[in-house]
Amino acid sequence: MMKKNLLAACLLFFGASSMFAQTSLKANVSLEQKVNRLLAQMTLEEKVGQLNQYTSDRLATGPIAPNSNKLNEIKQGKVGSMLNVRGAKDTRMLQEAALQSRLKIPMLFGLDVIHGYRVTFPIPLAEAASWDLDAIELSARIAAKEAAAAGIHWTFAPMVDIGRDPRWGRVMEGAGEDTYLGSLIAKARVHGFQGKGLGDTSAVMACAKHFAAYGAALAGRDYNSVDMSDRMLWEVYLPPFKAAVDAGAATFMNSFNELNGIPATGNSFLQRHILKGKWKYNGFVVSDWNSIGEMIPHGFAKDNYEAAQYAITAGSDMDMESRSYINNLVKLVKDKKVPESLIDDAVRRILRKKFEMGLFDDPFRFCNEERENAVLNSVEHHKAARDVSAKSIVLLKNENNLLPLSKQVKSVALIGPLAKSEVDMKGFWSVEWQHDHLVSLYEGVQSKLGDQVQLLYAKGCEIKDSVQTGFAEAVATAQKADVVIVAVGEAFNMSGEAKSRANIGLPGVQEELIKALYNTGKPIVVLVMAGRPLIFNWTADHVPSILYTWWLGSEAGHAMADVLFGDYNPSGKLPMTFPRSEGQIPVFYNYKNTGRPLVNERAGNYRSAYLDMPNSPRYAFGYGLSYTTFSYNDLKLSKSTIKGNEIIDVSFTLSNTGKYAGAEVAQLYLHDQVASVTRPVKELKGFEKVFLQPGESKVVHFTIDREMLCFYNQQMKWTAEPGSFKFMIGGASDNIKLESKFELTQ
Ligand code: GLC
């Protein structure tokens, strides 16, 4: 009898508490009260369940550990989040399972919506080449709208890792090598993804990743160790993450790499001291895929029990796919190795986001199939994709002004392994591409020119094998045409995660194909489609017209045709330095002068130079041409000496001196000439993208303020030091048109 009463009492308690939990959540109480009231209802096991994230096995984006019991664990409240579940229908089904748990806490659904959901946008590195922050924000906004309509609450983006090494395949996901540009793009992407704010049904939680310094992997080899000074970390790699915090990023993701000997996942300095301490971050941190468990092969934890202890102690709130938390945290608390307060802090951070997303009010508010069908793949979304795609294309060369091509051309030969490719336009990390029609270059040109042009085609060769038997047909095809357009580059899976390459030349025999076509003497333009800077020195030296078109997504072919035939005048500028050789890497624009600088390209003796190659890259950061030309004149400074927080207004006249309307990205660089810590020869501190009609001029202003002059001194204090500063303005980091100096006196 006693046992029955006890059982009845327990059932009554748990039953009442789950109803209480639900009803009290409806009451008009503050967010923190709601979080704390729910937390108070939770058992330790339920709390740990919130910290556990599983992937759907069908769409895994990492190495999976088979686990057929996931659905039961979801019903038992042991899974706080799922990733790689797509669609209103599937997310609804799994959310229904989560609501069978005692406290009915809904799950978060996360997905790598890196450059579009249904409509695929250009890869992030390509969009960075547009230097158009509004277009970049719009791209993220549309990706969020589509993802949110498909049941997704959370995107694992933006990736804000600074990338200075093109051997690292993940440069395609970021914004390139520069901290200033990368920070502005991080802000634009967070704002795009989160829109009007969490709770809006078109907003998804952003996730700044990978925290931190993942892009500095030794030798450009993915997942490799990172070792750098605090100054380099704080000056170059952390600011885009801080920009993401300031932009309100709902979540962070830590990185696979160790930093100075400590894996990021177990790195209290990064996650507790900097992110949650100094930056007062109140979102939550999800580990990268299995990275908690990977502290074992790192040699930092002896087993998952220890890995879980180190990770939760260091501030990793949610465990993606390692099962270290779900299998060990309860025991760690009972063994008094981990205070329950740490678990509570992590659970609060996650519950807070679930409340903010409105999931307790309506767990299915993102699971509406009608809305999904209405929102995805709209004409408006495709139009925005075509616009930002054209803006992302970089004109590297256009001698003799072969471009833009005339639409009255009689015959065009489209040649190369990427000329008709659709699948390679999607790039890496694309989501619903298989349901989307990706426009190839061939289709784009065909659509542009209609049937009055004779469009010839030959593949010529494969992307990465050594067979040249297709060259003869390609040459014969070229000889029949008025102009030859050659499409070369990487396959969609040759850049991206786990895609490091020691040799970043054009793969296979593609450059040999270009040579063969060049030797026909026909007018030729080469388009390079890739996820990273590639090396193609012969082509760069010989071919008169070259466009770098990256991987442009759904509207690739239309955007390339718009540029080729002059409906869009290319305005892109490189967000990363293009080396002449892998031997130069790392090579970037904001280098130090050294004590023995190279005064000019002649090596000479005892200079910081190579015997066998110039120091200069093939193409510099910020470089990109236009079909028109621009002049920079009438430099004016409001003052040449400042002190304290005084500012200088710098103005100049930018003119379109050519015959095509077009946009120029005027860039402002600064150099602190003498300081207590050596400073880079130049650092980007401002830019303006200005559209001008032929003959039109505009006075452009930059404001120089004290913050721009600051750096970390020998005591790692962020400060500006009196002295002489040079500023430079131009259309590329190696193409300065105007420069002058000013003094900071105190
Ligand atoms: C991957 C990536 C990370 C991604 C996550 C989920 O390994 O490193 O960027 O968000 O796993 O797919």
Side-chain angles (χ1 to χ4, degrees), residues 53 55 59-63 83-84 110-114 155-157 159 161 170 173 207 209-210 214 222-223 253-256 286-290 294 320 428-429 497:
Q53 181 185 59
T55 182
L59 304 163
T61 47
L83 72 149
N84 295 330
L111 186 70
D112 293 284
V113 185
I114 308 296
T155 177
F156 302 127
M159 185 272 222
D161 302 304
R170 300 199 76 164
E173 290 174 62
C207 180
K209 72 184 187 181
H210 306 77
Y214 181 31
D222 207 355
Y223 317 125
M253 181 184 291
N254 57 36
S255 56
F256 290 116
V286 62
S287 78
D288 202 340
W289 189 292
N290 191 38
E294 287 169 10
M320 181 191 288
F428 199 81
W429 289 120
E497 182 177 359

